[in-house]
Amino acid sequence: PELARKTVEQILRSKGIIGSSASSALQMVGEYSYGLVISGYRMPDMYYLDLVDCLPRDFESILLGSEETVAQVGAGILSLTMPIKAYDLVNTADMVLRQLERRIKKKTRTPKKRSEKEQNYIRNAKFLLMERNYLTEEEAHKYLQKCSMDNGTNMVETAQMILTLLFDET
């Protein structure tokens, strides 16, 4: 079923996840490390674009508004037009939160420490690339990275492949 703005507000208010103003939304945001703010364009104390400017880096937002309002805000703003279907709102919010969680996990992930043997593979592959192709160390490193990404392998596997290929040629 389609939900009007008042119905969306009532549902969110009943769950305790809505404020009546931008300042209350910002206060709620301060309690979390990341999240999603769903808002109309005009609140009693602030406009949507001003609210978005105040959000911390790890917060996303969705604008709910009329077709005219959404068109005026322009591209680059995630928005849904009212009235809205309940599953559209839920699916959009879920998609945004999943992307945000992935981005945060990726940001906090620490790379695995390489063993001395693995570091030697990379060092030797870079040395061979530098010697045979007249590359700087930085260029050889970038080449290894690019090959890794292109082939879907890690740097150590790529270094091993390069060493095998170059040694087989000699």
Side-chain angles (χ1 to χ4, degrees):
E2 288 192 345
L3 300 175
R5 187 174 63 81
K6 290 290 184 196
T7 308
V8 172
E9 283 182 24
Q10 289 169 343
I11 292 168
L12 295 176
R13 212 179 288 284
S14 72
K15 302 293 182 188
I17 54 175
I18 190 171
S20 57
S21 66
S23 59
S24 65
L26 290 170
Q27 188 174 6
M28 292 171 95
V29 161
E31 298 173 21
Y32 300 93
S33 57
Y34 70 94
L36 172 65
V37 173
I38 301 170
S39 172
Y41 184 72
R42 188 179 304 150
M43 292 150 277
D45 56 346
M46 197 178 288
Y47 286 98
Y48 174 80
L49 295 174
D50 297 323
L51 171 63
V52 170
D53 287 341
C54 294
L55 291 176
R57 185 174 169 196
D58 289 332
F59 276 80
E60 295 293 333
S61 63
I62 299 174
L63 169 63
L64 300 180
S66 67
E67 283 187 43
E68 183 181 310
T69 300
V70 167
Q72 285 178 351
V73 173
I77 302 285
L78 181 57
S79 55
L80 297 169
T81 54
M82 299 298 288
I84 185 173
K85 292 186 175 17
Y87 68 84
D88 286 340
L89 177 60
V90 171
N91 287 341
T92 302
D94 184 54
M95 174 196 69
V96 169
L97 287 170
R98 284 177 194 253
Q99 288 174 342
L100 186 57
E101 286 170 349
R102 258 185 261 132
R103 189 174 76 207
I104 289 169
K105 277 183 185 176
K106 190 176 183 180
K107 187 169 61 173
T108 58
R109 193 176 358 181
T110 55
K112 188 180 92 177
K113 183 82 174 131
R114 291 190 176 106
S115 69
E116 187 62 37
K117 186 176 181 180
E118 292 172 326
Q119 289 175 7
N120 276 336
Y121 283 129
I122 293 170
R123 211 176 359 256
N124 290 335
K126 284 196 293 189
F127 177 76
L128 274 176
L129 287 168
M130 290 164 56
E131 192 173 88
R132 293 180 65 124
N133 299 335
Y134 306 104
L135 300 175
T136 65
E137 183 180 3
E138 186 179 330
E139 290 169 334
H141 186 80
K142 284 182 182 178
Y143 180 82
L144 274 173
Q145 284 180 319
K146 184 171 179 354
C147 288
S148 299
M149 292 187 329
D150 290 348
N151 294 321
T153 58
N154 65 41
M155 290 264 292
V156 176
E157 292 171 314
T158 302
Q160 289 171 327
M161 285 189 278
I162 287 173
L163 289 169
T164 302
L165 288 170
L166 293 179
F167 274 129
D168 284 348
E169 286 180 9
T170 55

